[in-house]
């Protein structure tokens, strides 16, 4: 049933201004927003409705510059505002009104306020009929994720909780399921006999971008690998779900996560890399040493680059390395999943240099699929040359955030993270974090604008 009221807790914060309002504007422009949806902001700023609307206009102008004026006006007119503490049930009661059914509580809040806000929501009876959306990070380790799940489950049904991972709203990410399960061509090759390895890479040119307060206590492993890249791993490696509904889809992901084996403490040194950028340039953008960025505590040794090799202990994937890597301030935006197939030595053909390999690559932003093949060369027909079959996907109609917001407004959690998934992801990553905190392996460095530290495993 579609929600009639969206209550944004943390309505004057950066997340609301940068993502949520923009996603709402996109939905309004695409006529996806239900006509009777009221949007209520709650935050501490002692503002009235007019101030909040002015603030929203300013954020939209900054973060959604191409938005038609009429659409922006229409959205702003839906907005109302309640000033106060999100942990105060009286404040929330004013925001939700007497009937909390068919409402969505969006927690655009710092994680330390999640628990008091959830308690206050429960106190006003929001557990009956309301849906709750929680942004990352969902916990900072296994114990805190478990505690947060216990608190949520004390008051809310799991189906009413949407743990957001915006990667699941990305077109290519959703497309992995279609490619894998709707094309019989790939199915016989999707296993350890045919696949030599899978590289899941999220290299970014963006650097800290003023986020030291969050990022310096988080680092690349927890910011991107623990959630986003493990979700990509799930979709690439999981078994076919019985149906594409919330239960079956998430059952398949959890089953896969349970068989993921991270490195043992003794293996962490050889199966992971951590590094931090030093001063450098990306195009004409000069970047300082990460350790000298404002708000950074160099003693924390926070990594801005992380790579780990994981294995999936099941019949399909035994022995196949899955390498997950992400980094900031790198030379290029390389965001892809590469499934590398085995290339048996075949004496029938010759080749020059490297033997051409078969590889299927899913690229994101821009969304493309590339299939690397070995074809007969133009010169000597019996000498193989590499060739690419390339497909560019039509641009996504809605951004990832907007897509997931539609799902939440409609109450379908299929693309939200289930509580047990979040816990499994921490189980996988936690032993690596523990070794890194002891200084193993040592923190490497790479100049901003380079390809990353030397000695990493993904080429
Ligand atoms: C966010 C991380 O969740 O995802 C950022 O906190 C990262 O550090 C971002 O840059 C990447 O996603 P996108 O969709 O913005 O490229």
């Amino acid at each position: 049933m579609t929600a009639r009221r969206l209550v944004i807790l943390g309505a004057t914060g950066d997340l609301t201004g940068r993502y949520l309002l923009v996603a709402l504007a996109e939905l309004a422009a695409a006529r996806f927003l239900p006509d009777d949806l009221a949007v209520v902001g709650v935050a501490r700023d002692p503002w009235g409705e007019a101030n909040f609307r002015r603030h929203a206009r300013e954020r939209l102008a900054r973060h959604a510059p191409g938005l038609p004026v009429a659409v922006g006006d229409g959205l702003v007119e839906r907005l109302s505002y309640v000033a106060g503490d999100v942990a105060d049930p009286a404040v929330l009661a004013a925001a939700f009104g007497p009937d909390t059914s068919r409402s969505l509580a969006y927690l655009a809040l710092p994680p330390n306020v999640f628990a008091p806000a959830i308690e206050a929501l429960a106190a006003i009876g929001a557990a009956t009929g309301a849906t709750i959306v929680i942004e990352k990070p969902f916990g900072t380790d296994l114990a805190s994720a478990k505690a947060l799940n216990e608190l949520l489950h004390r008051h809310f049904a799991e189906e009413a909780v949407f743990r957001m991972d915006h990667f699941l709203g990305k077109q290519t990410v959703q497309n992995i399921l279609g490619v894998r399960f709707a094309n019989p061509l790939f199915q016989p090759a999707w296993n350890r006999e045919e696949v030599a390895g899978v590289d899941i890479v999220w290299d970014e040119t963006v650097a800290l971008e003023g986020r030291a307060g969050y990022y310096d206590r988080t680092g690349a492993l927890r910011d991107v690998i623990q959630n986003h890249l493990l979700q990509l791993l799930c979709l690439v490696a999981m078994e076919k779900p019985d149906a594409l509904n919330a239960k079956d889809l998430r059952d398949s992901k959890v089953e896969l996560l349970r068989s993921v084996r991270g490195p043992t403490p003794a293996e962490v040194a050889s199966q992971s890399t951590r590094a931090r950028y030093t001063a450098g340039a990306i195009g004409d953008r000069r970047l300082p040493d990460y350790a000298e960025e404002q708000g950074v505590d160099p003693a924390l040794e926070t990594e801005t680059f992380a790579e780990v090799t994981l294995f999936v202990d099941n019949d399909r994937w035994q022995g196949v390395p899955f390498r997950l890597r992400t980094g900031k301030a790198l030379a290029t935006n390389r965001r892809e999943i590469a499934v590398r197939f085995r290339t048996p030595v075949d004496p029938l053909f010759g080749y020059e240099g490297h033997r051409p390999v078969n590889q299927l690559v899913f690229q994101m932003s821009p969304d493309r699929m590339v299939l690397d093949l070995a074809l007969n060369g133009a010169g000597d027909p019996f000498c193989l040359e590499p060739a690419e079959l390339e497909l560019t996907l039509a641009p996504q109609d809605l951004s990832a955030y907007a897509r997931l917001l539609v799902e939440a407004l409609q109450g379908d959690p299929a693309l939200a993270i289930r509580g047990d998934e979040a816990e499994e992801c921490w189980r996988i990553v936690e032993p690596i974090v523990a070794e890194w905190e002891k200084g193993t392996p040592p923190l490497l460095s790479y100049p901003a604008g380079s390809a990353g530290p030397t000695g990493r495993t993904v080429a």
Side-chain angles (χ1 to χ4, degrees), residues 136 166-167 170 202 204 211 214 223 228 328 335:
K136 62 169 274 211
H166 77 285
F167 273 42
K170 289 179 188 279
W202 200 264
E204 302 181 304
R211 294 168 78 210
Y214 156 75
D223 181 43
H228 304 320
K328 291 207 182 284
R335 298 173 282 216

Side-chain angles (χ1 to χ4, degrees), residues 73-96:
D73 288 348
L75 175 59
V76 167
E77 274 159 29
R78 286 174 191 257
L79 302 177
S80 56
Y81 186 72
V82 175
D85 186 346
V86 295
D88 181 351
V91 170
L92 296 194
F96 280 86

Side-chain angles (χ1 to χ4, degrees), residues 72 75 78 117 180 207 239 246 259 268 272 323 334 346 370 377 388 420 442:
L75 175 59
R78 286 174 191 257
R180 283 192 58 195
E239 296 302 311
S259 36
V268 168
S272 72
R323 293 183 296 204
R334 177 177 163 209
D346 183 346
V370 181
E388 282 189 351
D420 49 357

